[in-house]
Amino acid sequence: MFDDFFQRALVAGVGVALVAGPLGCFIVWRRLAYFGDTLSHAALLGVALSFLLDINITLSVFAVCLAISILLMGLQRRGSLSSDALLGLLAHSALALGLVCLAFLSWVRIDLMGFLFGDILAVSVFDIAVIYAGGAAVLAVLAVIWRPLFAATVNRELAEAEGLNPDAANAVFMLLMATVIALSMKIVGVLLITALLIIPAAAARRLASGPEQMAVYAAFIGALAVIGGLFGSLRFDTPSGPSIVVAALVLFLLGMTPVGALLRRFTTPQGGGGGAR
């Protein structure tokens, strides 16, 4: 039997993957990979503020990511800079501010590598409870806003014409992203969160015949990546967070081989569409 810490890591990692997969699909569909990077970099600033103000790290990271999202929406409406320029500005500024703040906290011993690349083997039962409770809430909200969010992804003008209020759906989506990044930070670290969001979704895109199916496949592939990465880490004595991302990459590459083509034959019905591909 495996040690308790390894079992907790498996349960926690799978919980994060099940939530990250569906959200990652919207990141892929909307070409928002850099937005995920921006929020993940901002997470380090949240870590610094949590030590400085003596508050819960998850709550601090969530608050900072949410603030960055709101700031981004405000700056986009002003239209003074392009979205990619704004994302680059906010991502690197938040990361630099976080590192500078951590440098001033000389009285606190901080495992910077753990925050950057995750420490999934250190998750507690309480962490698991937070991940699954928060993840269930995220998936429930995503199910509620799925139709307007997907409609806005395909055609914003059409969504507005149908009265679906894409602006509200986009704002809620950013809230969900902030939540998932706060939940995922301890699993794969702030520098690898975006990979866990994007790679399973990108792998699922080659197999799915519709948006809902892609979301389910992305969650399943993410869970497989967590399991494979943790067992690979155990076998080869490699860092757990990066090992999970490498496992996700292997699954993505596998989908580009004849094995992936064979799977597509069984998973794509005749005449099936591709959704927001």
Side-chain angles (χ1 to χ4, degrees):
M1 295 298 291
F2 299 104
D3 293 326
D4 290 342
F5 71 87
F6 189 80
Q7 296 177 21
R8 290 195 298 269
L10 282 172
V11 173
V14 168
V16 168
L18 294 178
V19 181
L23 277 179
C25 292
F26 282 99
I27 292 178
V28 170
W29 292 331
R30 291 176 163 226
R31 298 175 174 88
L32 287 177
Y34 208 2
F35 173 65
D37 270 333
T38 299
L39 292 188
S40 64
H41 289 172
L44 195 61
L45 177 58
V47 171
L49 292 179
S50 72
F51 285 110
L52 185 63
L53 303 176
D54 194 23
I55 57 178
N56 181 269
I57 290 180
T58 301
L59 292 178
S60 179
V61 169
F62 170 76
V64 170
C65 289
L66 183 59
I68 292 292
S69 299
I70 295 172
L71 180 59
L72 174 63
M73 287 190 293
L75 291 174
Q76 283 177 329
R77 289 181 179 178
R78 295 187 64 179
S80 57
L81 286 173
S82 62
S83 294
D84 60 338
L86 289 173
L87 288 171
L89 186 153
L90 292 174
H92 300 299
S93 297
L95 180 61
L97 281 172
L99 291 171
V100 169
C101 289
L102 289 174
F104 280 109
L105 298 175
S106 58
W107 63 90
V108 180
R109 292 190 62 185
I110 299 173
D111 180 14
L112 187 58
M113 294 296 290
F115 287 119
L116 291 176
F117 299 104
D119 192 10
I120 189 173
L121 298 179
V123 296
S124 64
V125 175
F126 177 75
D127 292 329
I128 293 174
V130 170
I131 288 169
Y132 276 85
V138 167
L139 290 178
V141 174
L142 182 62
V144 172
I145 68 167
W146 180 276
R147 184 167 176 263
L149 186 61
F150 184 74
T153 301
V154 176
N155 190 311
R156 179 183 177 85
E157 290 73 19
L158 183 60
E160 289 177 340
E162 293 182 357
L164 294 176
N165 197 353
D167 286 334
N170 289 337
V172 175
F173 174 70
M174 289 187 174
L175 174 67
L176 297 182
M177 280 289 297
T179 303
V180 169
I181 287 175
L183 294 176
S184 305
M185 181 186 64
K186 196 167 187 177
I187 305 300
V188 292
V190 299
L191 295 184
L192 301 178
I193 290 173
T194 310
L196 191 61
L197 286 164
I198 294 174
I199 298 177
R205 188 175 188 175
R206 303 182 61 85
L207 302 176
S209 60
E212 291 82 7
Q213 189 180 60
M214 178 174 164
V216 173
Y217 285 1
F220 179 71
I221 291 171
L224 281 181
V226 169
I227 295 171
L230 283 175
F231 276 98
S233 174
L234 183 66
R235 173 67 177 83
F236 299 107
D237 193 26
T238 54
S240 301
S243 297
I244 291 172
V245 177
V246 170
L249 175 62
V250 170
L251 292 174
F252 172 77
L253 295 176
L254 188 63
M256 302 177 68
T257 65
V259 175
L262 183 62
L263 287 174
R264 283 193 295 276
R265 289 183 57 188
F266 289 101
T267 58
T268 306
Q270 294 294 324
R277 301 174 68 85

